[in-house]
């Protein structure tokens, strides 16, 4: 198990995948440097896989691709989708995060602090 995708997030991702031109896309999930806390989450769709750098798996009927280096940082993370009066959005709950920024889009772990943006 690397990440969990809730039923609500799975439904939303499946709807978004229908809009992609290439029907063989996967959800790419991972981290990149930046944000106020040093690391930011990255989500998008990817049709190409680098066999040396990436790993693929399925989570709640969603095909996922992830850089192997990101796996330890996001192990056990849950991706959810919440709908409210202001609209909807994905939420990410990472049990490895020891600090999060105020907006919740960046974090750091005990073993990986990343590089915070100077503008935060």
């Amino acid at each position: 198990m690397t990440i969990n995708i809730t039923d609500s997030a799975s439904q939303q991702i499946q709807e978004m995948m229908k809009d992609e031109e290439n029907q063989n896309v996967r959800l790419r999930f991972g981290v990149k440097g930046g944000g106020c806390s040093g690391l930011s989450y990255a989500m998008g769709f990817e049709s190409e896989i680098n066999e040396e750098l990436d790993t693929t798996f399925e989570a709640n009927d969603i095909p996922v691709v992830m850089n192997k280096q990101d796996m330890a940082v996001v192990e056990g993370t849950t991706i959810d989708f919440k709908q409210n009066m202001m609209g909807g959005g994905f939420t990410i709950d990472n049990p490895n995060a020891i600090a999060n920024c105020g907006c919740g889009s960046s974090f750091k772990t005990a073993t990986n602090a990343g590089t915070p943006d100077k503008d935060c």
Side-chain angles (χ1 to χ4, degrees), residues 10-61:
S10 177
Q11 291 172 356
Q12 184 65 32
I13 293 167
Q14 287 174 5
E15 284 300 313
M16 293 169 71
M17 289 174 89
K18 290 178 184 176
D19 293 336
E20 293 294 309
E21 288 182 25
N22 184 342
Q23 293 301 307
N24 293 321
V25 297
R26 294 179 170 272
L27 173 70
R28 177 167 291 276
F29 180 72
V31 297
K32 60 184 179 178
C36 300
S37 296
L39 296 172
S40 295
Y41 297 106
M43 279 179 51
F45 295 114
E46 182 76 52
S47 58
E48 296 193 22
I49 299 166
N50 183 325
E51 297 292 335
E52 291 181 30
L53 301 176
D54 294 331
T55 187
T56 60
F57 57 94
E58 195 166 289
N60 199 3
D61 297 326

Short mmCIF file of all heavy atoms in Angstrom, two decimals, residues 10-61:
data_model
loop_
_atom_site.label_atom_id
_atom_site.label_comp_id
_atom_site.label_asym_id
_atom_site.label_seq_id
_atom_site.Cartn_x
_atom_site.Cartn_y
_atom_site.Cartn_z
N SER A 10 -12.09 8.97 -5.94
CA SER A 10 -12.05 8.07 -7.08
C SER A 10 -13.10 8.45 -8.11
O SER A 10 -12.81 8.50 -9.32
CB SER A 10 -12.28 6.62 -6.62
OG SER A 10 -12.30 5.74 -7.71
N GLN A 11 -14.31 8.78 -7.68
CA GLN A 11 -15.36 9.19 -8.60
C GLN A 11 -14.97 10.47 -9.33
O GLN A 11 -15.17 10.58 -10.55
CB GLN A 11 -16.67 9.38 -7.84
CG GLN A 11 -17.26 8.10 -7.34
CD GLN A 11 -18.47 8.32 -6.43
OE1 GLN A 11 -18.82 9.45 -6.11
NE2 GLN A 11 -19.08 7.23 -6.01
N GLN A 12 -14.42 11.44 -8.59
CA GLN A 12 -14.03 12.70 -9.20
C GLN A 12 -12.90 12.50 -10.21
O GLN A 12 -12.91 13.06 -11.30
CB GLN A 12 -13.61 13.70 -8.12
CG GLN A 12 -13.28 15.07 -8.65
CD GLN A 12 -14.47 15.78 -9.26
OE1 GLN A 12 -15.61 15.60 -8.85
NE2 GLN A 12 -14.21 16.61 -10.26
N ILE A 13 -11.91 11.69 -9.85
CA ILE A 13 -10.77 11.44 -10.74
C ILE A 13 -11.25 10.72 -12.00
O ILE A 13 -10.83 11.05 -13.11
CB ILE A 13 -9.67 10.64 -10.01
CG1 ILE A 13 -9.05 11.51 -8.91
CG2 ILE A 13 -8.61 10.16 -10.99
CD1 ILE A 13 -8.18 10.72 -7.92
N GLN A 14 -12.14 9.74 -11.84
CA GLN A 14 -12.67 9.02 -13.01
C GLN A 14 -13.40 9.98 -13.95
O GLN A 14 -13.26 9.87 -15.17
CB GLN A 14 -13.58 7.88 -12.56
CG GLN A 14 -12.83 6.73 -11.96
CD GLN A 14 -13.74 5.65 -11.39
OE1 GLN A 14 -14.96 5.70 -11.52
NE2 GLN A 14 -13.13 4.66 -10.75
N GLU A 15 -14.15 10.93 -13.40
CA GLU A 15 -14.84 11.92 -14.24
C GLU A 15 -13.82 12.79 -14.98
O GLU A 15 -13.99 13.08 -16.16
CB GLU A 15 -15.77 12.80 -13.39
CG GLU A 15 -17.05 12.12 -12.99
CD GLU A 15 -17.89 11.70 -14.19
OE1 GLU A 15 -18.08 12.51 -15.12
OE2 GLU A 15 -18.35 10.54 -14.21
N MET A 16 -12.78 13.20 -14.30
CA MET A 16 -11.75 14.04 -14.91
C MET A 16 -10.98 13.27 -15.99
O MET A 16 -10.61 13.84 -17.01
CB MET A 16 -10.80 14.56 -13.84
CG MET A 16 -11.46 15.53 -12.87
SD MET A 16 -10.45 15.89 -11.42
CE MET A 16 -9.18 16.89 -12.18
N MET A 17 -10.76 11.99 -15.77
CA MET A 17 -10.04 11.17 -16.74
C MET A 17 -10.81 11.04 -18.05
O MET A 17 -10.22 10.91 -19.12
CB MET A 17 -9.73 9.79 -16.16
CG MET A 17 -8.67 9.82 -15.07
SD MET A 17 -8.44 8.23 -14.27
CE MET A 17 -7.20 7.52 -15.33
N LYS A 18 -12.14 11.11 -17.98
CA LYS A 18 -12.96 11.03 -19.20
C LYS A 18 -12.68 12.19 -20.14
O LYS A 18 -12.88 12.07 -21.34
CB LYS A 18 -14.44 11.01 -18.83
CG LYS A 18 -14.90 9.73 -18.16
CD LYS A 18 -16.37 9.83 -17.80
CE LYS A 18 -16.83 8.60 -17.03
NZ LYS A 18 -18.24 8.72 -16.58
N ASP A 19 -12.24 13.33 -19.58
CA ASP A 19 -11.97 14.51 -20.39
C ASP A 19 -10.61 14.48 -21.06
O ASP A 19 -10.31 15.33 -21.90
CB ASP A 19 -12.06 15.78 -19.52
CG ASP A 19 -13.48 16.02 -19.04
OD1 ASP A 19 -14.43 15.54 -19.69
OD2 ASP A 19 -13.63 16.70 -18.00
N GLU A 20 -9.77 13.53 -20.69
CA GLU A 20 -8.44 13.44 -21.26
C GLU A 20 -8.52 12.85 -22.68
O GLU A 20 -9.30 11.93 -22.93
CB GLU A 20 -7.53 12.56 -20.39
CG GLU A 20 -7.21 13.17 -19.04
CD GLU A 20 -6.38 14.43 -19.17
OE1 GLU A 20 -5.35 14.40 -19.86
OE2 GLU A 20 -6.78 15.45 -18.57
N GLU A 21 -7.70 13.38 -23.58
CA GLU A 21 -7.68 12.88 -24.96
C GLU A 21 -7.20 11.43 -25.02
O GLU A 21 -7.76 10.61 -25.73
CB GLU A 21 -6.76 13.75 -25.82
CG GLU A 21 -7.34 15.11 -26.12
CD GLU A 21 -6.43 15.94 -26.99
OE1 GLU A 21 -5.63 15.35 -27.74
OE2 GLU A 21 -6.53 17.17 -26.91
N ASN A 22 -6.15 11.14 -24.29
CA ASN A 22 -5.61 9.78 -24.26
C ASN A 22 -6.34 9.01 -23.16
O ASN A 22 -6.25 9.36 -21.99
CB ASN A 22 -4.10 9.83 -23.97
CG ASN A 22 -3.46 8.46 -24.01
OD1 ASN A 22 -4.13 7.43 -23.91
ND2 ASN A 22 -2.15 8.44 -24.14
N GLN A 23 -7.05 7.98 -23.53
CA GLN A 23 -7.84 7.22 -22.56
C GLN A 23 -6.99 6.25 -21.73
O GLN A 23 -7.50 5.59 -20.84
CB GLN A 23 -8.97 6.47 -23.27
CG GLN A 23 -10.01 7.41 -23.85
CD GLN A 23 -10.65 8.31 -22.81
OE1 GLN A 23 -11.15 7.86 -21.81
NE2 GLN A 23 -10.61 9.62 -23.07
N ASN A 24 -5.69 6.17 -22.02
CA ASN A 24 -4.79 5.29 -21.26
C ASN A 24 -3.97 6.08 -20.24
O ASN A 24 -2.85 5.72 -19.93
CB ASN A 24 -3.86 4.53 -22.20
CG ASN A 24 -4.62 3.55 -23.06
OD1 ASN A 24 -5.55 2.90 -22.59
ND2 ASN A 24 -4.25 3.45 -24.31
N VAL A 25 -4.55 7.15 -19.70
CA VAL A 25 -3.82 7.97 -18.74
C VAL A 25 -3.90 7.35 -17.35
O VAL A 25 -4.80 6.57 -17.05
CB VAL A 25 -4.33 9.42 -18.69
CG1 VAL A 25 -4.10 10.12 -20.01
CG2 VAL A 25 -5.76 9.50 -18.25
N ARG A 26 -2.93 7.73 -16.53
CA ARG A 26 -2.89 7.35 -15.13
C ARG A 26 -2.84 8.63 -14.30
O ARG A 26 -2.39 9.66 -14.78
CB ARG A 26 -1.64 6.53 -14.82
CG ARG A 26 -1.62 5.18 -15.50
CD ARG A 26 -0.32 4.43 -15.15
NE ARG A 26 -0.40 3.07 -15.59
CZ ARG A 26 -0.89 2.06 -14.87
NH1 ARG A 26 -1.33 2.28 -13.66
NH2 ARG A 26 -0.94 0.84 -15.35
N LEU A 27 -3.27 8.52 -13.07
CA LEU A 27 -3.09 9.63 -12.14
C LEU A 27 -1.63 9.64 -11.72
O LEU A 27 -1.11 8.64 -11.24
CB LEU A 27 -3.97 9.44 -10.91
CG LEU A 27 -3.75 10.46 -9.79
CD1 LEU A 27 -4.25 11.84 -10.22
CD2 LEU A 27 -4.44 10.01 -8.51
N ARG A 28 -0.94 10.77 -11.94
CA ARG A 28 0.43 10.90 -11.43
C ARG A 28 0.33 11.68 -10.13
O ARG A 28 -0.19 12.78 -10.08
CB ARG A 28 1.35 11.63 -12.39
CG ARG A 28 2.75 11.79 -11.75
CD ARG A 28 3.84 12.21 -12.67
NE ARG A 28 4.25 11.24 -13.65
CZ ARG A 28 5.14 10.27 -13.42
NH1 ARG A 28 5.65 10.09 -12.24
NH2 ARG A 28 5.48 9.48 -14.42
N PHE A 29 0.84 11.05 -9.07
CA PHE A 29 0.84 11.68 -7.75
C PHE A 29 2.26 11.66 -7.21
O PHE A 29 2.98 10.68 -7.38
CB PHE A 29 -0.10 10.93 -6.80
CG PHE A 29 -0.15 11.52 -5.43
CD1 PHE A 29 -0.80 12.73 -5.21
CD2 PHE A 29 0.46 10.90 -4.36
CE1 PHE A 29 -0.84 13.30 -3.95
CE2 PHE A 29 0.42 11.46 -3.10
CZ PHE A 29 -0.23 12.66 -2.88
N GLY A 30 2.64 12.74 -6.57
CA GLY A 30 3.97 12.79 -5.99
C GLY A 30 4.21 14.10 -5.29
O GLY A 30 3.28 14.82 -4.94
N VAL A 31 5.48 14.41 -5.10
CA VAL A 31 5.87 15.64 -4.42
C VAL A 31 6.92 16.37 -5.25
O VAL A 31 7.60 15.78 -6.07
CB VAL A 31 6.42 15.38 -3.00
CG1 VAL A 31 5.35 14.78 -2.11
CG2 VAL A 31 7.63 14.48 -3.04
N LYS A 32 7.01 17.68 -5.00
CA LYS A 32 8.04 18.49 -5.62
C LYS A 32 8.49 19.50 -4.57
O LYS A 32 7.78 19.76 -3.59
CB LYS A 32 7.51 19.19 -6.88
CG LYS A 32 6.33 20.10 -6.62
CD LYS A 32 5.80 20.70 -7.89
CE LYS A 32 4.59 21.59 -7.54
NZ LYS A 32 4.05 22.24 -8.69
N GLY A 33 9.65 20.06 -4.75
CA GLY A 33 10.15 21.06 -3.83
C GLY A 33 9.37 22.34 -3.96
O GLY A 33 8.87 22.68 -5.02
N GLY A 34 9.22 23.05 -2.85
CA GLY A 34 8.56 24.34 -2.88
C GLY A 34 7.48 24.46 -1.83
O GLY A 34 7.32 23.60 -0.97
N GLY A 35 6.75 25.54 -1.89
CA GLY A 35 5.73 25.82 -0.89
C GLY A 35 6.35 26.39 0.37
O GLY A 35 7.57 26.46 0.51
N CYS A 36 5.53 26.80 1.29
CA CYS A 36 6.01 27.42 2.52
C CYS A 36 6.76 26.44 3.42
O CYS A 36 7.66 26.83 4.16
CB CYS A 36 4.83 28.00 3.30
SG CYS A 36 3.93 29.26 2.36
N SER A 37 6.38 25.18 3.37
CA SER A 37 6.99 24.19 4.26
C SER A 37 8.11 23.40 3.59
O SER A 37 8.79 22.63 4.25
CB SER A 37 5.93 23.22 4.78
OG SER A 37 4.99 23.91 5.58
N GLY A 38 8.30 23.54 2.29
CA GLY A 38 9.42 22.89 1.62
C GLY A 38 9.06 21.86 0.57
O GLY A 38 9.80 21.66 -0.38
N LEU A 39 7.94 21.17 0.73
CA LEU A 39 7.49 20.19 -0.25
C LEU A 39 6.04 20.49 -0.61
O LEU A 39 5.26 20.89 0.24
CB LEU A 39 7.58 18.76 0.31
CG LEU A 39 8.96 18.23 0.65
CD1 LEU A 39 8.85 16.89 1.39
CD2 LEU A 39 9.80 18.08 -0.59
N SER A 40 5.68 20.27 -1.87
CA SER A 40 4.30 20.44 -2.32
C SER A 40 3.85 19.17 -3.02
O SER A 40 4.66 18.46 -3.62
CB SER A 40 4.20 21.61 -3.30
OG SER A 40 4.49 22.82 -2.68
N TYR A 41 2.56 18.90 -2.95
CA TYR A 41 1.99 17.75 -3.65
C TYR A 41 1.82 18.08 -5.12
O TYR A 41 1.57 19.23 -5.49
CB TYR A 41 0.64 17.37 -3.05
CG TYR A 41 0.75 16.94 -1.61
CD1 TYR A 41 0.32 17.78 -0.58
CD2 TYR A 41 1.29 15.72 -1.27
CE1 TYR A 41 0.43 17.40 0.74
CE2 TYR A 41 1.42 15.33 0.05
CZ TYR A 41 0.98 16.18 1.05
OH TYR A 41 1.10 15.79 2.36
N ALA A 42 1.96 17.08 -5.95
CA ALA A 42 1.76 17.23 -7.39
C ALA A 42 0.78 16.15 -7.84
O ALA A 42 0.97 14.97 -7.55
CB ALA A 42 3.09 17.09 -8.13
N MET A 43 -0.28 16.57 -8.54
CA MET A 43 -1.26 15.65 -9.09
C MET A 43 -1.57 16.07 -10.51
O MET A 43 -1.70 17.25 -10.80
CB MET A 43 -2.57 15.68 -8.28
CG MET A 43 -2.54 14.86 -7.04
SD MET A 43 -4.08 14.93 -6.07
CE MET A 43 -5.35 14.56 -7.24
N GLY A 44 -1.67 15.08 -11.37
CA GLY A 44 -2.02 15.34 -12.75
C GLY A 44 -2.23 14.02 -13.46
O GLY A 44 -2.25 12.96 -12.83
N PHE A 45 -2.36 14.07 -14.76
CA PHE A 45 -2.54 12.86 -15.54
C PHE A 45 -1.32 12.64 -16.42
O PHE A 45 -0.74 13.58 -16.94
CB PHE A 45 -3.81 12.93 -16.39
CG PHE A 45 -5.05 12.98 -15.54
CD1 PHE A 45 -5.85 14.11 -15.52
CD2 PHE A 45 -5.41 11.91 -14.75
CE1 PHE A 45 -6.99 14.16 -14.74
CE2 PHE A 45 -6.54 11.94 -13.96
CZ PHE A 45 -7.33 13.08 -13.95
N GLU A 46 -0.94 11.39 -16.58
CA GLU A 46 0.27 11.02 -17.30
C GLU A 46 0.00 9.78 -18.13
O GLU A 46 -0.58 8.81 -17.65
CB GLU A 46 1.39 10.74 -16.29
CG GLU A 46 2.72 10.39 -16.89
CD GLU A 46 3.42 11.62 -17.44
OE1 GLU A 46 3.56 12.61 -16.71
OE2 GLU A 46 3.82 11.56 -18.61
N SER A 47 0.43 9.82 -19.37
CA SER A 47 0.27 8.64 -20.22
C SER A 47 1.60 7.92 -20.44
O SER A 47 1.61 6.76 -20.84
CB SER A 47 -0.36 9.01 -21.57
OG SER A 47 0.43 9.97 -22.23
N GLU A 48 2.70 8.61 -20.17
CA GLU A 48 4.01 7.99 -20.36
C GLU A 48 4.62 7.61 -19.01
O GLU A 48 4.51 8.37 -18.05
CB GLU A 48 4.93 8.94 -21.12
CG GLU A 48 4.41 9.20 -22.52
CD GLU A 48 5.44 9.88 -23.40
OE1 GLU A 48 6.64 9.78 -23.10
OE2 GLU A 48 5.02 10.49 -24.38
N ILE A 49 5.25 6.46 -18.98
CA ILE A 49 5.85 5.94 -17.76
C ILE A 49 7.31 5.64 -18.01
O ILE A 49 7.66 5.03 -19.01
CB ILE A 49 5.11 4.65 -17.32
CG1 ILE A 49 3.64 4.97 -17.03
CG2 ILE A 49 5.78 4.03 -16.10
CD1 ILE A 49 2.77 3.74 -16.91
N ASN A 50 8.17 6.07 -17.11
CA ASN A 50 9.59 5.76 -17.16
C ASN A 50 9.81 4.54 -16.27
O ASN A 50 9.76 4.66 -15.04
CB ASN A 50 10.42 6.95 -16.68
CG ASN A 50 11.90 6.70 -16.78
OD1 ASN A 50 12.38 5.59 -16.57
ND2 ASN A 50 12.65 7.74 -17.08
N GLU A 51 10.03 3.39 -16.86
CA GLU A 51 10.14 2.14 -16.12
C GLU A 51 11.24 2.17 -15.05
O GLU A 51 11.14 1.51 -14.03
CB GLU A 51 10.37 0.96 -17.08
CG GLU A 51 9.23 0.73 -18.05
CD GLU A 51 7.96 0.23 -17.40
OE1 GLU A 51 8.03 -0.38 -16.31
OE2 GLU A 51 6.89 0.46 -17.98
N GLU A 52 12.30 2.94 -15.30
CA GLU A 52 13.40 3.01 -14.34
C GLU A 52 13.06 3.88 -13.13
O GLU A 52 13.47 3.58 -12.02
CB GLU A 52 14.66 3.55 -15.01
CG GLU A 52 15.26 2.61 -16.03
CD GLU A 52 16.52 3.19 -16.66
OE1 GLU A 52 17.22 3.97 -15.99
OE2 GLU A 52 16.78 2.85 -17.83
N LEU A 53 12.32 4.96 -13.34
CA LEU A 53 12.06 5.92 -12.28
C LEU A 53 10.69 5.79 -11.63
O LEU A 53 10.50 6.20 -10.48
CB LEU A 53 12.20 7.35 -12.82
CG LEU A 53 13.54 7.72 -13.43
CD1 LEU A 53 13.49 9.13 -14.01
CD2 LEU A 53 14.64 7.61 -12.39
N ASP A 54 9.72 5.22 -12.35
CA ASP A 54 8.34 5.19 -11.89
C ASP A 54 7.90 3.81 -11.43
O ASP A 54 8.45 2.79 -11.86
CB ASP A 54 7.39 5.63 -13.01
CG ASP A 54 7.57 7.08 -13.40
OD1 ASP A 54 7.96 7.89 -12.54
OD2 ASP A 54 7.30 7.41 -14.58
N THR A 55 6.88 3.82 -10.60
CA THR A 55 6.18 2.59 -10.23
C THR A 55 4.70 2.82 -10.52
O THR A 55 4.22 3.95 -10.47
CB THR A 55 6.41 2.22 -8.75
OG1 THR A 55 5.85 0.94 -8.50
CG2 THR A 55 5.81 3.25 -7.80
N THR A 56 4.00 1.77 -10.85
CA THR A 56 2.57 1.88 -11.14
C THR A 56 1.81 0.92 -10.24
O THR A 56 2.32 -0.13 -9.85
CB THR A 56 2.27 1.55 -12.62
OG1 THR A 56 2.68 0.22 -12.90
CG2 THR A 56 2.96 2.51 -13.56
N PHE A 57 0.60 1.30 -9.91
CA PHE A 57 -0.27 0.47 -9.09
C PHE A 57 -1.69 0.97 -9.26
O PHE A 57 -1.92 1.97 -9.95
CB PHE A 57 0.15 0.47 -7.62
CG PHE A 57 0.22 1.84 -7.00
CD1 PHE A 57 -0.86 2.36 -6.31
CD2 PHE A 57 1.38 2.60 -7.11
CE1 PHE A 57 -0.79 3.62 -5.74
CE2 PHE A 57 1.45 3.86 -6.54
CZ PHE A 57 0.37 4.37 -5.85
N GLU A 58 -2.64 0.31 -8.65
CA GLU A 58 -4.03 0.73 -8.70
C GLU A 58 -4.51 1.00 -7.29
O GLU A 58 -4.22 0.24 -6.37
CB GLU A 58 -4.89 -0.35 -9.37
CG GLU A 58 -6.25 0.17 -9.79
CD GLU A 58 -6.95 -0.77 -10.74
OE1 GLU A 58 -6.52 -0.88 -11.89
OE2 GLU A 58 -7.95 -1.37 -10.30
N ALA A 59 -5.24 2.10 -7.12
CA ALA A 59 -5.83 2.45 -5.83
C ALA A 59 -7.28 2.81 -6.04
O ALA A 59 -7.58 3.77 -6.76
CB ALA A 59 -5.07 3.62 -5.20
N ASN A 60 -8.18 2.03 -5.49
CA ASN A 60 -9.62 2.25 -5.61
C ASN A 60 -10.05 2.47 -7.06
O ASN A 60 -10.71 3.46 -7.40
CB ASN A 60 -10.07 3.41 -4.72
CG ASN A 60 -11.57 3.38 -4.44
OD1 ASN A 60 -12.28 2.46 -4.85
ND2 ASN A 60 -12.06 4.38 -3.73
N ASP A 61 -9.63 1.56 -7.91
CA ASP A 61 -9.98 1.55 -9.35
C ASP A 61 -9.32 2.67 -10.15
O ASP A 61 -9.71 2.91 -11.30
CB ASP A 61 -11.50 1.59 -9.57
CG ASP A 61 -12.20 0.38 -9.00
OD1 ASP A 61 -11.60 -0.72 -9.03
OD2 ASP A 61 -13.34 0.52 -8.52
#
